[in-house]
Amino acid sequence: MPREKLLDKGAKALTNAELLAILINTGTQNNSALDIAKEVLTSCGQDLLGFEQLEFSTLRKIKGLGPKKAVTLLAAIELGRRGKLAKALVRKKVSSSQDAFEVLMPFYTDISQEHCIAIFLDQGNKLLSVQAISTGGLTSTVVDPRIIFRKALEIKNTAQIIISHNHPSGNISPSAADKNITKKLTEGAKLLDLKIVDHLIIGHNEYCSFADSALLV
Protein backbone atom coordinates (compact mmCIF):
# COMPACT_ATOMS: atom_id res chain seq x y z
CA MET A 1 0.00 0.00 0.00
CA PRO A 2 1.28 3.50 -0.82
CA ARG A 3 1.01 4.81 2.76
CA GLU A 4 2.90 1.90 4.23
CA LYS A 5 5.51 2.13 1.48
CA LEU A 6 6.01 5.83 2.22
CA LEU A 7 6.47 5.18 5.93
CA ASP A 8 8.88 2.34 5.24
CA LYS A 9 10.97 3.78 2.41
CA GLY A 10 10.19 7.50 2.27
CA ALA A 11 8.21 9.61 -0.20
CA LYS A 12 10.90 9.54 -2.89
CA ALA A 13 10.48 5.78 -3.23
CA LEU A 14 6.88 6.13 -4.39
CA THR A 15 5.77 6.37 -8.00
CA ASN A 16 3.74 9.37 -9.14
CA ALA A 17 0.63 7.20 -9.15
CA GLU A 18 1.27 6.04 -5.58
CA LEU A 19 1.71 9.62 -4.35
CA LEU A 20 -1.55 10.63 -6.03
CA ALA A 21 -3.31 7.61 -4.55
CA ILE A 22 -2.48 8.88 -1.05
CA LEU A 23 -4.13 12.21 -1.87
CA ILE A 24 -7.15 10.50 -3.42
CA ASN A 25 -7.36 8.43 -0.23
CA THR A 26 -10.22 6.05 -1.09
CA GLY A 27 -11.39 4.27 -4.19
CA THR A 28 -14.73 2.96 -5.37
CA GLN A 29 -16.29 -0.47 -5.45
CA ASN A 30 -14.65 -1.20 -8.79
CA ASN A 31 -11.48 0.88 -8.66
CA SER A 32 -8.88 1.42 -5.97
CA ALA A 33 -7.39 4.80 -5.19
CA LEU A 34 -4.30 3.65 -7.10
CA ASP A 35 -6.41 2.78 -10.15
CA ILE A 36 -7.97 6.25 -10.09
CA ALA A 37 -4.55 7.85 -9.68
CA LYS A 38 -3.30 6.01 -12.77
CA GLU A 39 -6.32 7.28 -14.70
CA VAL A 40 -5.52 10.85 -13.64
CA LEU A 41 -1.96 10.48 -14.93
CA THR A 42 -3.23 8.93 -18.16
CA SER A 43 -5.42 12.00 -18.70
CA CYS A 44 -2.29 14.19 -18.79
CA GLY A 45 -0.05 11.81 -20.72
CA GLN A 46 1.85 10.54 -17.66
CA ASP A 47 3.38 14.00 -17.56
CA LEU A 48 3.79 16.01 -14.35
CA LEU A 49 3.77 19.40 -16.04
CA GLY A 50 0.61 18.35 -17.83
CA PHE A 51 -0.76 17.32 -14.44
CA GLU A 52 -0.09 20.83 -13.16
CA GLN A 53 -2.37 22.19 -15.88
CA LEU A 54 -5.36 19.97 -15.11
CA GLU A 55 -8.56 21.80 -14.32
CA PHE A 56 -11.54 20.95 -12.13
CA SER A 57 -13.75 20.13 -15.12
CA THR A 58 -11.19 17.63 -16.43
CA LEU A 59 -10.70 15.93 -13.08
CA ARG A 60 -14.44 15.56 -12.56
CA LYS A 61 -14.69 13.47 -15.73
CA ILE A 62 -12.56 10.76 -14.14
CA LYS A 63 -14.63 8.04 -12.54
CA GLY A 64 -14.14 7.89 -8.80
CA LEU A 65 -13.08 11.52 -8.43
CA GLY A 66 -15.84 13.44 -6.68
CA PRO A 67 -15.72 17.20 -6.06
CA LYS A 68 -13.83 16.87 -2.76
CA LYS A 69 -11.11 14.67 -4.22
CA ALA A 70 -10.79 16.89 -7.27
CA VAL A 71 -10.39 19.94 -5.05
CA THR A 72 -7.76 18.11 -2.98
CA LEU A 73 -5.75 17.38 -6.12
CA LEU A 74 -6.08 20.97 -7.33
CA ALA A 75 -4.77 22.19 -3.97
CA ALA A 76 -1.80 19.82 -4.22
CA ILE A 77 -1.15 20.99 -7.80
CA GLU A 78 -1.13 24.61 -6.71
CA LEU A 79 1.19 23.91 -3.78
CA GLY A 80 3.61 22.15 -6.10
CA ARG A 81 3.47 25.04 -8.57
CA ARG A 82 4.08 27.61 -5.83
CA GLY A 83 6.96 25.57 -4.45
CA LYS A 84 8.78 25.51 -7.77
CA LEU A 85 8.10 29.19 -8.34
CA ALA A 86 9.39 30.07 -4.87
CA LYS A 87 12.58 28.14 -5.61
CA ALA A 88 12.96 29.96 -8.92
CA LEU A 89 12.39 33.39 -7.36
CA VAL A 90 15.27 32.86 -4.95
CA ARG A 91 17.56 33.65 -7.87
CA LYS A 92 15.98 37.13 -8.11
CA LYS A 93 17.74 38.05 -11.37
CA VAL A 94 18.14 36.26 -14.69
CA SER A 95 21.01 37.83 -16.61
CA SER A 96 22.15 35.01 -18.90
CA SER A 97 20.95 31.92 -20.74
CA GLN A 98 22.57 29.76 -18.04
CA ASP A 99 20.58 31.60 -15.36
CA ALA A 100 17.38 30.97 -17.34
CA PHE A 101 18.25 27.31 -17.85
CA GLU A 102 18.80 26.78 -14.11
CA VAL A 103 15.45 28.44 -13.34
CA LEU A 104 13.60 26.36 -15.93
CA MET A 105 15.04 22.90 -15.32
CA PRO A 106 12.88 22.07 -12.25
CA PHE A 107 9.80 22.77 -14.38
CA TYR A 108 10.94 20.34 -17.07
CA THR A 109 11.73 17.46 -14.71
CA ASP A 110 9.82 14.20 -15.25
CA ILE A 111 7.92 15.27 -18.36
CA SER A 112 7.67 13.32 -21.61
CA GLN A 113 5.78 15.77 -23.81
CA GLU A 114 6.73 19.10 -25.30
CA HIS A 115 5.84 22.12 -23.18
CA CYS A 116 6.24 25.84 -23.51
CA ILE A 117 7.23 27.79 -20.38
CA ALA A 118 7.94 31.52 -20.16
CA ILE A 119 10.01 33.59 -17.75
CA PHE A 120 8.83 37.15 -17.13
CA LEU A 121 11.35 39.82 -16.11
CA ASP A 122 11.31 43.52 -15.35
CA GLN A 123 13.60 46.02 -17.05
CA GLY A 124 16.42 45.23 -14.62
CA ASN A 125 16.28 41.44 -15.22
CA LYS A 126 14.47 40.80 -11.93
CA LEU A 127 12.57 37.52 -12.11
CA LEU A 128 8.86 38.24 -11.71
CA SER A 129 7.24 34.93 -12.60
CA VAL A 130 7.57 31.60 -14.41
CA GLN A 131 4.45 30.44 -16.23
CA ALA A 132 3.52 27.27 -18.12
CA ILE A 133 2.06 28.37 -21.46
CA SER A 134 1.04 25.19 -23.26
CA THR A 135 1.32 21.43 -23.47
CA GLY A 136 1.84 19.50 -26.66
CA GLY A 137 2.63 15.99 -27.77
CA LEU A 138 5.82 14.00 -28.13
CA THR A 139 7.09 16.09 -31.03
CA SER A 140 5.41 19.50 -30.92
CA THR A 141 3.61 22.05 -28.77
CA VAL A 142 1.51 25.07 -29.56
CA VAL A 143 3.15 28.36 -28.64
CA ASP A 144 0.30 30.86 -28.59
CA PRO A 145 1.55 34.47 -28.61
CA ARG A 146 -1.81 35.65 -27.28
CA ILE A 147 -1.40 33.63 -24.08
CA ILE A 148 2.19 34.76 -23.58
CA PHE A 149 1.43 38.43 -24.09
CA ARG A 150 -1.73 38.31 -21.98
CA LYS A 151 0.25 36.88 -19.08
CA ALA A 152 2.96 39.49 -19.62
CA LEU A 153 0.41 42.29 -19.37
CA GLU A 154 -1.15 40.73 -16.27
CA ILE A 155 2.19 40.47 -14.42
CA LYS A 156 3.05 43.90 -13.08
CA ASN A 157 6.29 45.50 -14.34
CA THR A 158 6.95 42.89 -17.04
CA ALA A 159 9.32 44.34 -19.64
CA GLN A 160 11.20 41.27 -20.89
CA ILE A 161 10.26 37.69 -21.71
CA ILE A 162 12.27 34.51 -22.09
CA ILE A 163 10.47 31.77 -24.01
CA SER A 164 11.39 28.11 -23.64
CA HIS A 165 10.23 24.74 -24.79
CA ASN A 166 11.65 21.24 -24.53
CA HIS A 167 12.50 18.57 -27.06
CA PRO A 168 11.87 15.19 -25.39
CA SER A 169 14.07 13.54 -28.03
CA GLY A 170 17.06 15.41 -26.61
CA ASN A 171 17.84 17.09 -29.93
CA ILE A 172 18.17 20.79 -29.10
CA SER A 173 18.69 22.04 -32.65
CA PRO A 174 16.09 24.71 -33.55
CA SER A 175 13.64 23.69 -36.24
CA ALA A 176 12.26 25.99 -38.93
CA ALA A 177 9.03 26.18 -36.90
CA ASP A 178 11.01 27.18 -33.79
CA LYS A 179 12.66 30.00 -35.71
CA ASN A 180 9.38 31.16 -37.23
CA ILE A 181 7.51 31.36 -33.93
CA THR A 182 10.45 33.17 -32.31
CA LYS A 183 10.39 35.77 -35.06
CA LYS A 184 6.62 36.15 -34.68
CA LEU A 185 6.93 36.59 -30.91
CA THR A 186 9.77 39.08 -31.23
CA GLU A 187 7.83 41.23 -33.66
CA GLY A 188 4.63 41.03 -31.61
CA ALA A 189 6.42 41.97 -28.40
CA LYS A 190 7.67 45.22 -29.94
CA LEU A 191 4.09 46.35 -30.55
CA LEU A 192 3.42 46.02 -26.81
CA ASP A 193 6.67 47.69 -25.74
CA LEU A 194 7.97 44.33 -24.54
CA LYS A 195 11.13 42.46 -25.49
CA ILE A 196 11.80 38.78 -26.16
CA VAL A 197 15.34 38.42 -24.81
CA ASP A 198 15.83 34.71 -25.47
CA HIS A 199 14.26 31.44 -26.52
CA LEU A 200 15.69 28.30 -24.94
CA ILE A 201 15.24 24.83 -26.38
CA ILE A 202 15.85 22.33 -23.60
CA GLY A 203 16.90 18.72 -24.11
CA HIS A 204 18.45 16.18 -21.81
CA ASN A 205 20.17 18.47 -19.28
CA GLU A 206 21.39 20.81 -22.02
CA TYR A 207 19.97 23.70 -23.97
CA CYS A 208 20.23 25.87 -27.06
CA SER A 209 19.90 29.62 -26.60
CA PHE A 210 18.63 31.73 -29.50
CA ALA A 211 20.33 34.78 -28.00
CA ASP A 212 23.71 33.06 -27.63
CA SER A 213 23.40 31.64 -31.15
CA ALA A 214 22.51 35.04 -32.68
CA LEU A 215 19.15 33.69 -33.83
CA LEU A 216 17.03 36.49 -32.37
CA VAL A 217 15.95 39.07 -34.93
Side-chain angles (χ1 to χ4, degrees):
M1 298 295 288
R3 283 185 179 80
E4 286 71 18
K5 184 176 178 180
L6 187 150
L7 291 172
D8 183 42
K9 299 182 179 181
K12 291 183 178 180
L14 273 65
T15 65
N16 294 335
E18 289 171 333
L19 290 169
L20 279 179
I22 292 175
L23 294 172
I24 293 169
N25 191 26
T26 59
T28 65
Q29 184 175 357
N30 298 318
N31 295 293
S32 67
L34 187 57
D35 291 331
I36 298 171
K38 290 177 180 178
E39 185 65 25
V40 172
L41 290 174
T42 297
S43 72
C44 58
Q46 307 296 328
D47 189 299
L48 288 184
L49 194 53
F51 173 68
E52 286 189 0
Q53 295 179 288
L54 288 177
E55 298 179 350
F56 182 78
S57 58
T58 302
L59 290 171
R60 286 292 287 116
K61 294 176 183 177
I62 298 173
K63 292 182 179 179
L65 271 186
K68 291 183 179 179
K69 292 178 181 178
V71 167
T72 297
L73 291 186
L74 288 176
I77 288 170
E78 183 58 27
L79 280 172
R81 183 184 295 117
R82 292 184 186 186
K84 285 192 288 188
L85 180 57
K87 184 176 181 180
L89 291 174
V90 169
R91 180 172 291 278
K92 296 184 180 180
K93 284 195 174 185
V94 177
S95 303
S96 67
S97 62
Q98 182 63 34
D99 288 346
F101 176 67
E102 292 174 4
V103 166
L104 290 163
M105 271 311 296
F107 293 85
Y108 283 114
T109 301
D110 295 325
I111 63 175
S112 57
Q113 297 176 303
E114 279 204 12
H115 293 270
C116 174
I117 301 173
I119 296 175
F120 299 91
L121 309 169
D122 70 6
Q123 193 63 49
N125 297 325
K126 180 182 177 181
L127 199 161
L128 302 175
S129 187
V130 182
Q131 299 280 331
I133 303 300
S134 61
T135 302
L138 294 174
T139 58
S140 65
T141 188
V142 177
V143 180
D144 190 335
R146 293 171 298 180
I147 297 176
I148 294 171
F149 295 140
R150 184 178 71 242
K151 288 181 179 293
L153 295 173
E154 290 173 349
I155 299 168
K156 186 178 179 181
N157 295 328
T158 295
Q160 305 179 91
I161 307 169
I162 297 174
I163 307 300
S164 75
H165 76 279
N166 63 313
H167 284 178
S169 67
N171 179 4
I172 58 174
S173 299
S175 66
D178 294 334
K179 294 176 182 178
N180 288 337
I181 191 61
T182 304
K183 181 178 180 181
K184 186 176 181 179
L185 287 165
T186 301
E187 293 174 348
K190 292 176 182 177
L191 298 175
L192 298 171
D193 200 24
L194 298 168
K195 184 178 181 181
I196 303 295
V197 293
D198 207 345
H199 182 170
L200 268 61
I201 299 176
I202 295 177
H204 298 159
N205 296 314
E206 57 180 352
Y207 68 94
C208 171
S209 161
F210 273 60
D212 294 349
S213 302
L215 292 174
L216 287 179
V217 294

